[in-house]
Amino acid sequence: MCRQILGGCFRFESTSEALLDLVEAAYAGLPPHQLMMGTPEFRIELRLLPRQLSPSAAEPPPMRVQSGAGLLCGVMDASNYVVLAPEQRRALVVASEDMLSHRYHLRYELIEFAVFTLATRGLGLVPLHGACVGREGRGILLLGASGSGKSTLALHSLLQGLDFLAEDAVFVQPESMLATGVANYLHVQADALCLIDDDATRRWINQAPIIRRRSGVEKFEADLRLGHGRLAAAPLELVGAVFVSAQSADDPDVLLSVIPPDEIAARLSADQAYASGQPGWHRFEQRMMQQGVHLLRRGRHPRDSANALRQLLD
C-alpha cells in the first residue's frame, strides 16, 4: 500500500490485513502534499505476532526510546515495538494481536511514530507539537500548553472557513517555512460541543469514537475527511505563530497582543522541548522571529478567536 504523507511516498508492506486496515484508516483520503521537486520513498514493514499468553492490560505499557548504531527503537514490550533505520528510510513495526484491541495506541504510538520520524529525518523537517490553519496558501502556527484550547480553536477555524492543516503535529521545512501535517482526525473533549452552534457538526463529533489519552483525558476522535470543512490541499507557508492562552482577554474585542522580539526565542524553546534539540531548529527560530509571534487570549466565543486569526492571514 502506497500513500503520500508529509511530502514523502510511504510504502507499507504487511501480510496482515488488519494492520494495513489501520494504515488505511490513518492515511487514506489525505491531500497529497509535496515539499520538494522529487518525492522521496520510505518503506515500512508491519508484522503481526500471535496473541500474548498473559492477559491484555487495560492500556499498553508506555513506549521507551533507545538509539545507537544508526538505529532508533521505540519499545513497549517484547511483542510491540518499532525499529527505524533513518538513513535507509526504512522501518519495521511489530505488534501482537492483543494490540488490535488498542487501535488508537497502535496507530498513534507505533505506526505514526515510524511515519513521523522517517519523514522528519528524511525530509529535514522540524517536528512541532501544535496545530496549523490558514487560507490561500498562508498558514498560522498554533502553539501552547495542553489544555490551552488549540484543538477547539482549530475546530472553529475550520468551521469559519479556514483551511485545516493539522491539529496535533506540524512539520516545517525551515528554509521555506512550508508546513505540512496529517489532517486525519480532530480530537475534542465533550465540553467543547456546547460551543458549536451547527447541529450537523455536533452530530458529526458526537457520533465519533472516543479515545483515551495516556493522561487519562477522553476525547472524541472525529474524522476530518468526512467533508466538514476544508483540508489544506498543499503545504502552507507560515506567516507567523500564535501562542494560545487559556486566559480570558481583559478586552473581549482585543484578543491578540504582540510578543516582544527578545522574548520569542525563549518562549518557542520552552514550548517545544523536543523540537528545539533537532536539526533545523535554529533556522526555524530565526525565521519565526522575523515574522512575528502573537499571544491569543480567549474572547466571548471560540469563533472570535478564529476571526482574530483571519486578521493575521489577511
Side-chain angles (χ1 to χ4, degrees), residues 203-216:
R203 284 195 301 272
W204 162 53
I205 296 174
N206 203 36
Q207 293 170 1
I210 295 176
I211 58 95
R212 181 182 174 89
R213 301 277 200 188
R214 289 284 187 180
S215 63

Side-chain angles (χ1 to χ4, degrees), residues 61-271:
M63 181 184 287
R64 294 162 295 162
V65 179
Q66 300 287 339
S67 62
L71 301 176
L72 180 63
C73 303
V75 181
M76 287 182 175
D77 57 33
S79 300
N80 297 280
Y81 55 88
V82 185
V83 181
L84 299 104
E87 293 297 320
Q88 286 74 47
R89 297 176 176 169
R90 298 178 70 94
L92 170 67
V93 176
V94 177
S96 66
E97 289 180 338
D98 307 69
M99 278 295 290
L100 295 176
S101 61
H102 302 288
R103 293 170 61 87
Y104 170 74
H105 294 288
L106 174 51
R107 189 190 78 235
Y108 188 74
E109 297 183 21
L110 294 178
I111 298 174
E112 285 197 355
F113 176 75
V115 170
F116 287 177
T117 304
L118 288 180
T120 297
R121 304 288 181 90
L123 297 168
L125 306 178
V126 176
L128 301 168
H129 175 57
C132 185
V133 297
R135 62 186 299 191
E136 298 178 354
R138 294 155 58 86
I140 291 290
L141 186 63
L142 308 181
L143 304 173
S146 296
S148 61
K150 296 187 298 296
S151 296
T152 299
L153 176 54
L155 167 61
H156 284 271
S157 298
L158 178 80
L159 299 179
Q160 293 299 311
L162 295 183
D163 293 340
F164 192 104
L165 182 86
E167 173 229 22
D168 190 54
V170 181
F171 301 83
V172 180
Q173 200 174 58
E175 286 299 330
S176 64
M177 290 301 278
L178 287 176
T180 183
V182 177
N184 49 10
Y185 297 105
L186 177 71
H187 299 94
V188 292
Q189 290 181 251
D191 58 5
L193 293 178
C194 64
L195 298 172
I196 299 172
D197 301 326
D198 182 65
D199 290 339
T201 302
R202 275 202 306 273
R203 284 195 301 272
W204 162 53
I205 296 174
N206 203 36
Q207 293 170 1
I210 295 176
I211 58 95
R212 181 182 174 89
R213 301 277 200 188
R214 289 284 187 180
S215 63
V217 174
E218 293 186 343
K219 294 189 174 187
F220 290 106
E221 186 174 64
D223 197 327
L224 288 159
R225 296 159 291 183
L226 298 179
H228 295 268
R230 186 170 58 236
L231 306 185
L236 299 177
E237 182 179 355
L238 293 181
V239 297
V242 164
F243 278 95
V244 181
S245 172
Q247 179 183 0
S248 297
D250 295 332
D251 182 347
D253 294 321
V254 182
L255 306 185
L256 285 168
S257 58
V258 176
I259 294 178
D262 59 351
E263 297 180 12
I264 291 176
R267 296 273 311 242
L268 288 173
S269 295
D271 187 69

Side-chain angles (χ1 to χ4, degrees), residues 12-15 19-20 23 44-48 92-93 111:
F12 299 91
E13 302 170 348
S14 182
T15 59
L19 291 179
L20 290 177
V23 172
I44 297 179
E45 180 184 344
L46 303 114
R47 189 176 300 170
L48 189 65
L92 170 67
V93 176
I111 298 174

